[in-house]
Amino acid sequence: MGSFRPPLDSSLLSSPLSLSSLLSSLSLLSSLLSLSSPLFSLSLPSPSLSPRPLSLSLSPVLPIDPLSFSWPSSLSPSLLYPRLLDEASLLPPSLLLPMPLLLLLLSAPHPALLPSSPHCPRGFLCDALSLRSALSASLSRREASLSLLLAEGAIFELRGEQIEVPSGFHLSLRSTGAGATIQASRLSRALLLRPDAVLTLDRVHLLDGRAMDGAGGCVLVEPRARLDVRHGSMSGCAAVSADAPIGSVAFAAEAHGGSIAAFFADVRLDNATLRGSSAVDGERARSARQRRRRARAPRPLAVVPRTPRLPACPLTPPLAPAPGAAIFISGGSLHVNNSVITGCNASREGGAIALVSNSSASLASVTIAGSRAKLGGGALYMADGAHATLETTRLLNCTAGTSGGAMEMNSDARALLRRSLVAGCSAESGGGIAVEGASLELDNSSVTDCWASEDGGAIRLGAATGVARVVASTMARNRAQRGGGGASVRGGLITLERSTISECSTEQDGGGMAVQVPLERPPAMQAPAVARCGGPRSGSQSVAHERP
């Protein structure tokens, strides 16, 4: 039984006509919802009682389990109001009086007017409350693992409370066909994995997760835990930094991992889609970052941010310097296969993925498209010894505000691109890839149609310890305004083996390549083909050696 107290005086129903109108309208409501009539048994206080708040007791004729009740999404009040008003226009005036009351009843915070969907298949779960109950029951029995089936097409509304997988527990959520959806409605993170926990999501879609503590908008994976996503998606997730004191040290937290943030943990994505993720810093975090950038010594042409480590604090997980709009991995591993990441946006580095602290990543048959970073690495940012292998992977139409339209690498990072494509990306320097004190190898890959407003249309090699090896690869139709339409070498060593630089251009020197290193360390070029490259100042000159 459900009881609701509308803020109405009992005089509203003091006449038999009004009471009759209410009963008639309830019968109308029953017909509108296509349920059996009569839907309710209705009890009212005597109209002769003194005026006081009116109590209506509505007992549904159909059985309702109060612990599993939820509004069917197709019968939400926002959808019912227009239908009720349309029908009201056909009623005589005597039946219009109770309509506001019915609308008020429909918006009750604990509705008991409608039963749960009776069509939930046996053995499947159809709502968040039953999911939480099953998990709680398993934990109370001290079980180590639990596998649950979610009904196809079901929407699990979290209502501001994330689902937590406890330490050491193995949870499997599976669906069939088009899958089930876990809807966080931008009120909370969707899932939290405690240390050593394991979560498998199969045909499960996470929607509109939001982490206000700055890490993991849809899923936060704590140390030694593992997340396995198969045939699922994450959409509209965001990590937003909280400008608040942490522990005993007050500092400006920075956001990372719009969809997934993992710290010393393992993340695996297979046939997954991540779209519309974002990592957004609060005002204090942005101000602190600007102060750090102003304090750095100016660098020629490109600005490669080196964010200092944040002070230690009693938090799990620890905060790290790079965000990653979709995925942030610190000290862990990432495996992505046959997946798509699109339309992501980071307020710092790593428009789609950020790897730091000796993290490792393997991407096979992955497409990253339309991602943006306000600083470096429009698609991928790597630092602090991180290493990655990209095979048959495409980085398309990504943008960075500083360096590395598709990728930025620094601080001993290592990357291998095999049979991969970087196309249509742009940045201030290194329109395709920016390498600063890191190691890059291109094997049978292409960097095409990229643009830099400074130097290095396809590749920029910027530090003395940087190394780039280009084997059987192509750099074509790339442009840079201030030198090195194909590649710009400001330090380090670049090696080209059986590779082609063609149709690249610049408004200054080195349409194909601009080299600014000591002449005793010229670029090693084994049978390269530099063709149809040039610019207004360099004329037909394809490779320009500039003074350091």
Side-chain angles (χ1 to χ4, degrees), residues 182-442:
I182 296 178
Q183 168 67 266
S185 303
R186 301 183 181 179
L187 299 176
S188 70
R189 179 187 294 116
L191 295 157
L192 169 62
L193 277 67
R194 291 300 187 186
D196 301 300
V198 177
L199 174 63
T200 300
L201 300 176
D202 191 348
R203 300 186 186 277
V204 175
H205 311 288
L206 306 182
L207 188 61
D208 293 335
R210 175 161 296 191
M212 299 304 297
D213 56 9
C218 266
V219 187
L220 174 59
V221 189
E222 294 190 345
R224 303 178 305 280
R226 188 176 82 228
L227 172 65
D228 191 350
V229 179
R230 306 168 188 169
H231 304 282
S233 67
M234 300 183 190
S235 302
C237 300
V240 182
S241 65
D243 294 335
I246 303 296
S248 59
V249 180
F251 69 97
E254 295 178 328
H256 26 331
S259 285
I260 302 170
F263 298 83
F264 306 98
D266 182 23
V267 175
R268 298 174 181 269
L269 306 178
D270 188 7
N271 289 278
T273 300
L274 277 62
R275 63 173 68 88
S277 301
S278 58
V280 182
D281 284 342
E283 184 60 36
R284 287 180 55 198
R286 288 192 294 267
S287 299
R289 183 174 66 246
Q290 291 169 359
R291 287 194 298 271
R292 290 196 299 266
R293 293 183 66 189
R294 286 195 296 267
R296 298 187 190 111
R299 296 190 177 100
L301 298 181
V303 177
V304 180
R306 298 179 183 274
T307 309
R309 296 216 179 257
L310 297 170
C313 58
L315 261 191
T316 299
L319 295 177
I327 302 173
F328 173 80
I329 306 292
S330 176
S333 62
L334 171 67
H335 304 272
V336 187
N337 179 58
N338 196 28
S339 297
V340 175
I341 303 174
T342 181
C344 301
N345 183 22
S347 63
R348 289 183 292 132
E349 302 92 342
I353 301 174
L355 306 170
V356 300
S357 303
N358 295 299
S359 298
S360 64
S362 172
L363 280 67
S365 301
V366 175
T367 297
I368 301 176
S371 296
R372 303 171 59 89
K374 189 172 183 178
L375 298 181
L380 175 61
Y381 173 80
M382 302 173 59
D384 303 327
H387 54 282
T389 300
L390 286 70
E391 295 201 35
T392 59
T393 290
R394 302 185 303 164
L395 310 180
L396 308 176
N397 303 320
C398 298
T399 303
T402 55
S403 56
M407 295 175 58
E408 181 185 23
M409 307 167 55
N410 57 44
S411 305
D412 300 318
R414 307 186 308 279
L416 166 63
L417 278 69
R418 181 180 290 122
R419 298 188 300 277
S420 295
L421 171 66
V422 176
C425 299
S426 61
E428 183 179 291
S429 61
I433 304 172
V435 182
E436 297 280 338
S439 175
L440 168 69
E441 181 174 348
L442 296 180

Side-chain angles (χ1 to χ4, degrees), residues 4-11 45 49-56:
F4 177 66
R5 293 179 178 271
L8 299 173
D9 192 272
S10 60
S11 60
L49 296 178
S50 59
R52 56 190 173 126
L54 178 65
S55 177
L56 297 179

Side-chain angles (χ1 to χ4, degrees), residues 415-490:
L416 166 63
L417 278 69
R418 181 180 290 122
R419 298 188 300 277
S420 295
L421 171 66
V422 176
C425 299
S426 61
E428 183 179 291
S429 61
I433 304 172
V435 182
E436 297 280 338
S439 175
L440 168 69
E441 181 174 348
L442 296 180
D443 182 7
N444 196 24
S445 297
S446 298
V447 183
T448 64
D449 300 296
C450 296
W451 179 80
S453 60
E454 294 287 346
D455 64 320
I459 297 174
R460 185 186 193 274
L461 190 61
T465 56
V467 176
R469 183 169 179 255
V470 184
V471 180
S473 297
T474 300
M475 290 180 274
R477 299 182 302 279
N478 301 290
R479 297 177 296 126
Q481 283 189 296
R482 296 183 57 186
S488 175
V489 183
R490 303 287 167 174

Side-chain angles (χ1 to χ4, degrees), residues 118-191:
H119 306 296
C120 191
R122 179 176 293 274
F124 287 80
L125 301 180
C126 292
D127 59 77
L129 185 57
S130 59
L131 192 159
R132 296 184 195 276
S133 299
L135 178 58
S136 178
S138 179
L139 294 174
S140 65
R141 295 191 296 266
R142 299 183 182 277
E143 295 175 346
S145 63
L146 176 65
S147 181
L148 298 174
L149 293 176
L150 310 184
E152 179 183 2
I155 299 177
F156 294 76
E157 295 277 358
L158 298 186
R159 303 183 187 278
E161 182 180 355
Q162 65 188 6
I163 296 174
E164 180 176 329
V165 184
S167 297
F169 192 79
H170 292 209
L171 176 62
S172 175
L173 301 178
R174 304 176 187 274
S175 187
T176 59
T181 299
I182 296 178
Q183 168 67 266
S185 303
R186 301 183 181 179
L187 299 176
S188 70
R189 179 187 294 116
L191 295 157

